[in-house]
Amino acid sequence: MPAVPRYAVFGHPIAHSLSPRLHALFAAQTGLALAYVTLDATPAAFASAAREFFAGGASGANVTLPHKSAAFALADVHTSTARRLGVANVLTPLPDGRLEADSNDGAGMLADLASGCGFDPRGHGVMLLGAGGAARAAAFALLDAGVSRLTIANRTPARAERLAELLDAPPRVQVLAWEQLATAGVFDLVINATSAGVQHAELALPASLVTPHTFAYDLSYGPAAQPFVAWARAAGCRVASDGLGMLVATAAASFLRWHGVQPDAGAALQTLRDPPA
Ligand code: NDP
């Protein structure tokens, strides 16, 4: 009997990850047999742990904090998206033995903005809060999707400036100091790509950023997204969403990459949000 293909998500910490549950849901939907586990590796141990995993015949891995840069460095081949970002969240061994790195965070966010929120970024003005790894993926994806204006505000302004330089789209990209948010005007979409919620830190945001037409989207999910979503609702946004749908969309994209089968991301998201009794 052929061995069941093995997959994992690497992170530190990682026990909280929903990825094994998502891949099990997708496997049940599509009738595929697979094993998907969490693997905790410290930054010092990640490269050797991942090499050992693939040397043992594993068929793919997702990678999350704090290993996305190390995953990029580990790979032999990089998709154009991963190369542009310098990070990876999907590792796939190729038939010739080389390891491929891809990043699907930005595409996952766009997919959830479209299917979960009904938002098409084309021609819209976006406020991006944060300038870390997730913000970088979001920024490239939003520019590719045709936003008319991307304004980046970050607690550490130099990091926002560096992201703007990397994006290299001066007419459409603008950097604002956090103190300027109150006079920044209004936006069609406000994205929280900071990790403030994860760290239980308060994010002081002015209601003047939004109108009743504004969509608000937090890349975090669960309790970490609650303060931003509550702020957006209180400020009167049209839609206020967390990033659980983005996580499901990125998992679905990994599943498609590895198995060549498109799972039903909407049904999996529904199961996570509203588990059967
Ligand atoms: P990084 O550590 O790379 O970046 C963190 C960002 O948050 C930086 O811009 C940092 O600013 C800012 N920040 C941290 N604390 C505060 C604070 N108290 N006030 C204001 N800004 C703050 O993290 P990532 O970019 O990788 O992740 C960001 C968030 O996105 C996380 O919550 C993560 O869970 C989520 N995420 C969700 C995904 C999904 O699938 N839904 C996928 C990837 C990420 P500074 O530069 O000043 O330090």
Side-chain angles (χ1 to χ4, degrees), residues 9-173:
V9 56
F10 285 89
H12 184 67
I14 196 62
H16 65 285
S17 174
L18 292 171
S19 295
R21 184 143 172 240
L22 278 168
H23 283 265
L25 282 170
F26 294 153
Q29 284 175 359
T30 56
L32 293 176
L34 60 91
Y36 189 114
V37 297
T38 56
L39 288 177
D40 197 318
T42 62
F46 168 71
S48 58
R51 275 198 202 96
E52 196 181 315
F53 184 62
F54 287 112
S59 300
N62 289 121
V63 179
T64 188
L65 286 176
H67 303 314
K68 290 188 181 182
S69 297
F72 179 88
L74 188 73
D76 311 296
V77 192
H78 305 88
T79 64
S80 55
T81 307
R83 205 173 312 121
R84 197 156 63 150
L85 298 173
V87 295
N89 68 321
V90 192
L91 291 173
T92 308
L94 300 177
D96 65 9
R98 292 180 301 166
L99 190 62
E100 176 199 80
D102 186 25
S103 168
N104 61 24
D105 280 339
M109 181 197 69
L110 290 182
D112 188 45
L113 279 172
S115 66
C117 304
F119 185 81
D120 178 354
R122 256 176 304 178
H124 285 118
V126 179
M127 165 60 73
L128 179 62
L129 304 166
R136 195 190 301 183
F140 274 111
L142 288 163
L143 288 175
D144 288 350
V147 297
S148 57
R149 188 167 53 107
L150 180 67
T151 305
I152 308 168
N154 192 47
R155 180 179 60 177
T156 309
R159 208 169 173 196
E161 294 285 357
R162 279 202 300 278
L163 176 55
E165 277 168 33
L166 191 69
L167 293 167
D168 196 22
R172 287 198 288 160
V173 178

Side-chain angles (χ1 to χ4, degrees), residues 198-214:
V198 174
Q199 297 168 26
H200 310 290
E202 193 192 341
L203 208 56
L205 297 173
S208 56
L209 291 172
V210 310
T211 73
H213 302 290
T214 300

Side-chain angles (χ1 to χ4, degrees), residues 205-242:
L205 297 173
S208 56
L209 291 172
V210 310
T211 73
H213 302 290
T214 300
F215 289 72
Y217 191 85
D218 197 327
L219 299 194
S220 307
Y221 46 86
Q226 280 169 10
F228 177 79
V229 168
W231 167 81
R233 290 200 177 121
C237 288
R238 178 174 165 186
V239 170
S241 174
D242 69 8

